[in-house]
Amino acid sequence: MTKKAAAPKGNTLRVKPEEKVKPEANAKNKGFSLFKWLDKYTNVDFLFQEGVPTKYLPHVLFLTGITLFYIGNTHYAEKTIRKIAKIKVETEDLRADYTTLKSDYMGASKQSEVARNVAPLGLVESSSPPYQVEVAADEY
Protein backbone atom coordinates (compact mmCIF):
# COMPACT_ATOMS: atom_id res chain seq x y z
CA MET A 1 0.00 0.00 0.00
CA THR A 2 1.18 3.45 -0.81
CA LYS A 3 0.32 6.61 1.01
CA LYS A 4 -1.67 9.20 -0.79
CA ALA A 5 -0.12 12.65 -1.06
CA ALA A 6 -1.64 15.14 1.31
CA ALA A 7 -3.53 18.07 -0.13
CA PRO A 8 -1.31 21.11 -0.62
CA LYS A 9 -1.37 23.51 2.27
CA GLY A 10 -2.82 26.91 1.58
CA ASN A 11 -2.57 30.18 3.38
CA THR A 12 -5.13 29.73 6.09
CA LEU A 13 -5.81 31.58 9.27
CA ARG A 14 -3.96 30.10 12.21
CA VAL A 15 -5.93 29.60 15.33
CA LYS A 16 -4.11 30.43 18.52
CA PRO A 17 -4.49 27.89 21.27
CA GLU A 18 -6.09 29.25 24.40
CA GLU A 19 -3.53 30.23 26.97
CA LYS A 20 -4.30 29.82 30.61
CA VAL A 21 -3.44 32.86 32.67
CA LYS A 22 -2.05 32.18 36.08
CA PRO A 23 -3.66 34.33 38.75
CA GLU A 24 -0.29 34.97 40.45
CA ALA A 25 1.26 36.32 37.25
CA ASN A 26 -1.73 38.58 36.63
CA ALA A 27 -1.53 39.98 40.15
CA LYS A 28 2.18 40.85 39.75
CA ASN A 29 1.73 42.82 36.51
CA LYS A 30 -0.71 45.43 37.79
CA GLY A 31 1.87 48.26 37.43
CA PHE A 32 1.97 50.68 34.51
CA SER A 33 3.91 49.54 31.47
CA LEU A 34 4.34 51.72 28.43
CA PHE A 35 4.55 48.77 26.06
CA LYS A 36 1.40 47.15 27.46
CA TRP A 37 -0.43 50.44 27.06
CA LEU A 38 0.80 50.81 23.46
CA ASP A 39 -0.15 47.22 22.69
CA LYS A 40 -3.59 47.74 24.15
CA TYR A 41 -4.42 50.97 22.28
CA THR A 42 -2.47 50.45 19.06
CA ASN A 43 -3.32 46.86 18.28
CA VAL A 44 -2.03 46.12 14.78
CA ASP A 45 -2.13 42.33 15.02
CA PHE A 46 -5.17 42.30 12.73
CA LEU A 47 -2.91 43.49 9.86
CA PHE A 48 -0.73 40.39 10.12
CA GLN A 49 -3.37 37.72 10.69
CA GLU A 50 -3.27 36.65 7.05
CA GLY A 51 0.48 37.18 6.57
CA VAL A 52 2.45 40.26 5.56
CA PRO A 53 0.17 42.78 3.81
CA THR A 54 2.08 43.39 0.58
CA LYS A 55 -0.65 45.61 -0.81
CA TYR A 56 0.60 48.42 1.47
CA LEU A 57 4.25 47.96 0.48
CA PRO A 58 4.35 50.61 -2.31
CA HIS A 59 2.84 53.21 0.01
CA VAL A 60 5.26 52.35 2.81
CA LEU A 61 8.24 52.52 0.44
CA PHE A 62 7.02 55.85 -0.94
CA LEU A 63 6.66 57.33 2.54
CA THR A 64 10.08 55.95 3.49
CA GLY A 65 11.61 57.60 0.41
CA ILE A 66 9.96 60.93 1.17
CA THR A 67 11.16 60.72 4.78
CA LEU A 68 14.74 60.01 3.72
CA PHE A 69 14.60 62.87 1.22
CA TYR A 70 13.28 65.21 3.92
CA ILE A 71 16.03 64.21 6.36
CA GLY A 72 18.71 64.63 3.69
CA ASN A 73 17.32 67.99 2.64
CA THR A 74 17.33 69.18 6.25
CA HIS A 75 20.99 68.18 6.68
CA TYR A 76 21.91 69.89 3.41
CA ALA A 77 20.10 73.09 4.44
CA GLU A 78 21.83 73.18 7.83
CA LYS A 79 25.22 72.63 6.18
CA THR A 80 24.50 75.45 3.73
CA ILE A 81 23.49 77.78 6.57
CA ARG A 82 26.78 77.03 8.37
CA LYS A 83 28.72 77.79 5.15
CA ILE A 84 26.84 81.08 4.70
CA ALA A 85 27.62 82.13 8.27
CA LYS A 86 31.31 81.30 7.78
CA ILE A 87 31.50 83.23 4.51
CA LYS A 88 29.69 86.17 6.09
CA VAL A 89 32.38 86.43 8.78
CA GLU A 90 35.13 86.24 6.13
CA THR A 91 33.40 88.94 4.08
CA GLU A 92 33.23 91.27 7.06
CA ASP A 93 36.96 90.74 7.69
CA LEU A 94 37.78 91.43 4.03
CA ARG A 95 35.59 94.55 4.05
CA ALA A 96 37.45 95.87 7.11
CA ASP A 97 40.81 95.16 5.40
CA TYR A 98 39.63 96.93 2.24
CA THR A 99 38.54 100.02 4.18
CA THR A 100 41.88 100.17 6.00
CA LEU A 101 43.94 99.77 2.82
CA LYS A 102 41.81 102.33 0.97
CA SER A 103 42.33 104.95 3.67
CA ASP A 104 46.09 104.22 3.70
CA TYR A 105 46.22 104.61 -0.08
CA MET A 106 44.26 107.86 0.03
CA GLY A 107 46.67 109.24 2.61
CA ALA A 108 49.76 108.05 0.69
CA SER A 109 48.57 109.56 -2.61
CA LYS A 110 48.39 113.15 -1.28
CA GLN A 111 50.74 115.57 -3.01
CA SER A 112 52.67 116.35 0.15
CA GLU A 113 53.17 112.63 0.94
CA VAL A 114 54.34 111.86 -2.60
CA ALA A 115 56.83 114.80 -2.45
CA ARG A 116 58.20 113.56 0.89
CA ASN A 117 58.57 109.97 -0.38
CA VAL A 118 60.43 110.92 -3.63
CA ALA A 119 62.78 113.48 -2.00
CA PRO A 120 65.45 110.80 -1.24
CA LEU A 121 65.54 109.99 -4.98
CA GLY A 122 66.47 113.59 -5.79
CA LEU A 123 63.14 114.51 -7.31
CA VAL A 124 61.71 117.90 -6.41
CA GLU A 125 58.29 119.36 -6.85
CA SER A 126 58.07 121.80 -9.78
CA SER A 127 57.34 125.38 -8.81
CA SER A 128 56.40 126.54 -12.33
CA PRO A 129 53.01 125.68 -13.73
CA PRO A 130 52.76 123.23 -16.63
CA TYR A 131 52.54 124.58 -20.15
CA GLN A 132 51.06 123.21 -23.35
CA VAL A 133 53.25 122.41 -26.34
CA GLU A 134 51.60 123.20 -29.63
CA VAL A 135 52.76 121.41 -32.76
CA ALA A 136 51.69 122.54 -36.19
CA ALA A 137 49.54 120.05 -38.08
CA ASP A 138 51.99 119.86 -41.02
CA GLU A 139 54.97 119.01 -38.72
CA TYR A 140 53.51 115.84 -37.44
Side-chain angles (χ1 to χ4, degrees), residues 9-10 20 28 30 33 49-50 56 60 71 75 83 85 95 99 101 108 115-116 123 126-127 129-130 132:
K9 293 184 179 180
K20 295 182 180 178
K28 286 182 184 177
K30 289 206 175 201
S33 172
Q49 285 178 350
E50 297 178 10
Y56 299 118
V60 170
I71 292 170
H75 285 291
K83 281 183 183 179
R95 184 177 292 126
T99 306
L101 290 174
R116 187 169 10 119
L123 298 174
S126 174
S127 58
Q132 183 176 5

Side-chain angles (χ1 to χ4, degrees), residues 16-20:
K16 290 185 179 180
E18 293 289 330
E19 294 181 7
K20 295 182 180 178

